[in-house]
Amino acid sequence: MPLGVEDKRVPDGHLSASSYYNSNLAPWHGRLNHRYSWSVRTMNVRQYLQVYVENPKRIKGIATQGRQDVNQWVKSYSVSYSERGNSFNPVKEKGRLRVMKRFSYSLI
């Protein structure tokens, strides 16, 4: 069952980010198949999109897509989680930081 980011069961106020370019590219637009998207103000490796989930859940997958009107997309990312929101733990694989990579690019 999807978490609800795409269909807005996860409300706009539960999406935040390190930065965003403007109101059309704010974190609450960081949803699949949305007219707009989230885009950072400054391009560097310290940028993040954060999703607050009310009840603890096991997340088994993450889907990403590029912007529908511009050739922009995330090429790789890591995932961290927190139970209380103050200390984040990175997802690791065999003791090493797991980096997700997007190998095929297509505009949707």
Side-chain angles (χ1 to χ4, degrees), residues 8-25:
K8 292 195 172 188
R9 283 179 289 129
V10 172
D12 289 351
H14 288 198
L15 292 152
S16 60
S18 53
S19 71
Y20 59 96
Y21 194 75
N22 62 36
S23 62
N24 289 331
L25 301 169

Side-chain angles (χ1 to χ4, degrees), residues 85-104:
N86 54 4
S87 176
F88 288 82
N89 303 298
V91 173
K92 294 184 177 183
E93 187 172 55
K94 297 179 183 175
R96 300 181 76 182
L97 179 66
R98 171 125 191 243
V99 176
M100 282 49 135
K101 295 185 179 185
R102 185 173 172 171
F103 294 102
S104 61

